[in-house]
Amino acid sequence: MEEVNQTTVTEFILDGLTKNPEVQLPLLLIFVGVYLVTVVGNLGMIILILFSSQLHTPMYYLLSSLSFIDCCQSTVITPKMLVNFVTEKNVISYPECMAQFYFFCAFAVAECYMLAVMAYDRYVAISNPLLYKVTMSYQVCLWMIDWVYGMGFLSATAFTFFLIRLLFCKANIIRHYFCDLFPLLELSCSSTFINEVLVWSLGSFNILIPAITILSSYIFIIVSILNIHSTGGRLKAFGTCSSHILAVAIFYGSLAFMYLQPSSVSYLGQSKLSSVFYTIVVPMLNPMIYSLRNKDVKIALKKLIQKVSFTHQRMIFISN
């Protein structure tokens, strides 16, 4: 007979980041600020690219897609986490918990591949600038974005399918600030062997393959930069890549620390801190890393502000 999920737990309680009442209010204010900066920064980046014709290139289309992923990932996690700071018990229903995990997983995996695609884009731009528009055509760019989201939602579907087949009988306190995989596996009263195998196989694939792609791209980029005779050209190329390397290091380092370790030691106090980096901090930093240090973005932003200001003044003049 077909196996039926006999889960008796209908809701979970999220343990949150800390139970120390002295730091609840400061953390609430900090993470509200972080979330607002994340949403404004990423949505602002998407709007800027959309309305600035000079930014209608494959590089910035990829950047706008990364901003969309970051905004969605932060929205899936942060608002529910903030409830922990203002309520005694942060209750989340079973369906809501599974949905939160599904979308978190989809956008986290999508970000892995998006960072890899952006590294490849920089490799093509620096190593083969004359062939850049051909190699990174809009059709290729669209195909890459489809691949990124496809891998994200395919992986999330696989992880969630095997997660909902587990039985949750009595324990319902998730020792985390969101519905993550390992804290949920700890609560299961049925075998989690298949889930752990899936984490080590598909999880490792989704982390290592993009990481190898990024590493390979930057090895070729460094070689190409060293062949540039102009000192100014070298500095410009290194400046373009250094920000991306920093974002990749933070994201992949915290992600690997959380998931590429034995399940018996995967959930410790430091795992919460590690999770904060790739779920909350990195989505906030990406607009700054890829935008504020980018000369083209600064020029586009200045032109857009001038255009909006001129339009506003013209409307006032007409109304008078």
Side-chain angles (χ1 to χ4, degrees):
M1 294 181 63
E2 184 179 355
E3 182 180 352
V4 179
N5 190 331
Q6 299 176 353
T7 294
T8 58
V9 172
T10 58
E11 61 183 25
F12 296 99
I13 299 174
L14 294 170
D15 201 32
L17 275 176
T18 178
K19 293 183 179 180
N20 188 345
E22 296 180 358
V23 298
Q24 296 279 7
L25 181 58
L27 286 178
L28 173 64
L29 297 176
I30 290 172
F31 284 110
V32 166
V34 168
Y35 181 63
L36 291 177
V37 171
T38 300
V39 173
V40 172
N42 285 292
L43 289 182
M45 193 66 215
I46 294 172
I47 293 172
L48 180 62
I49 293 173
L50 181 64
F51 289 99
S52 301
S53 58
Q54 63 267 38
L55 299 182
H56 290 178
T57 63
M59 171 184 171
Y60 292 106
Y61 284 139
L62 296 177
L63 180 55
S64 64
S65 185
L66 177 67
S67 294
F68 175 76
I69 291 172
D70 284 333
C71 189
C72 290
Q73 179 171 300
S74 183
T75 300
V76 167
I77 302 297
T78 309
K80 191 63 180 175
M81 182 196 73
L82 295 176
V83 177
N84 272 107
F85 300 123
V86 295
T87 60
E88 186 175 346
K89 288 185 179 180
N90 187 3
V91 179
I92 183 170
S93 67
Y94 178 85
E96 186 182 358
C97 185
M98 295 299 109
Q100 185 187 54
F101 170 74
Y102 177 82
F103 287 106
F104 153 71
C105 182
F107 290 119
V109 173
E111 178 141 357
C112 288
Y113 285 98
M114 183 57 68
L115 290 173
V117 168
M118 293 179 71
Y120 176 75
D121 172 78
R122 291 299 82 207
Y123 156 70
V124 175
I126 293 175
S127 300
N128 299 289
L130 298 179
L131 298 176
Y132 177 72
K133 290 185 178 180
V134 177
T135 307
M136 292 297 296
S137 64
Y138 290 109
Q139 184 176 2
V140 172
C141 185
L142 182 62
W143 179 85
M144 286 182 171
I145 292 175
D146 288 342
W147 167 263
V148 166
Y149 287 108
M151 287 301 299
F153 284 99
L154 180 64
S155 300
T157 300
F159 282 118
T160 307
F161 173 78
F162 286 101
L163 183 61
I164 62 177
R165 293 174 65 87
L166 297 179
L167 303 180
F168 298 93
C169 305
K170 296 181 180 180
N172 70 334
I173 299 179
I174 300 175
R175 295 193 296 159
H176 213 343
Y177 59 88
F178 71 100
C179 293
D180 202 1
L181 184 60
F182 285 126
L184 283 169
L185 294 184
E186 286 185 348
L187 302 181
S188 175
C189 53
S190 58
S191 174
T192 60
F193 176 75
I194 295 179
N195 303 78
E196 293 177 15
V197 170
L198 191 65
V199 169
W200 274 98
S201 56
L202 186 56
S204 298
F205 180 86
N206 287 332
I207 293 177
L208 295 178
I209 295 301
I212 292 172
T213 302
I214 292 171
L215 182 61
S216 301
S217 296
Y218 275 99
I219 288 175
F220 287 114
I221 286 173
I222 291 173
V223 172
S224 300
I225 290 175
L226 294 177
N227 290 329
I228 298 176
H229 299 291
S230 169
T231 303
R234 288 184 181 180
L235 293 176
K236 183 179 179 180
F238 271 121
T240 302
C241 301
S242 60
S243 299
H244 187 218
I245 293 175
L246 176 62
V248 167
I250 296 174
F251 181 77
Y252 276 95
S254 56
L255 200 65
F257 179 84
M258 181 67 185
Y259 294 102
L260 298 184
Q261 55 180 314
S263 59
S264 59
V265 297
S266 63
Y267 187 78
L268 300 171
Q270 60 265 34
S271 294
K272 288 185 180 182
L273 181 60
S274 174
S275 299
V276 167
F277 277 99
Y278 67 81
T279 60
I280 299 174
V281 176
V282 169
M284 178 192 68
L285 292 179
N286 278 343
M288 303 177 188
I289 291 174
Y290 294 109
S291 309
L292 297 180
R293 297 185 62 183
N294 189 300
K295 183 179 178 181
D296 293 335
V297 171
K298 289 180 180 179
I299 294 174
L301 179 60
K302 184 177 180 179
K303 288 183 178 179
L304 184 61
I305 293 174
Q306 291 175 345
K307 183 178 180 181
V308 172
S309 178
F310 175 77
T311 304
H312 179 67
Q313 292 176 359
R314 185 177 179 183
M315 290 178 64
I316 293 176
F317 176 79
I318 293 175
S319 62
N320 292 333

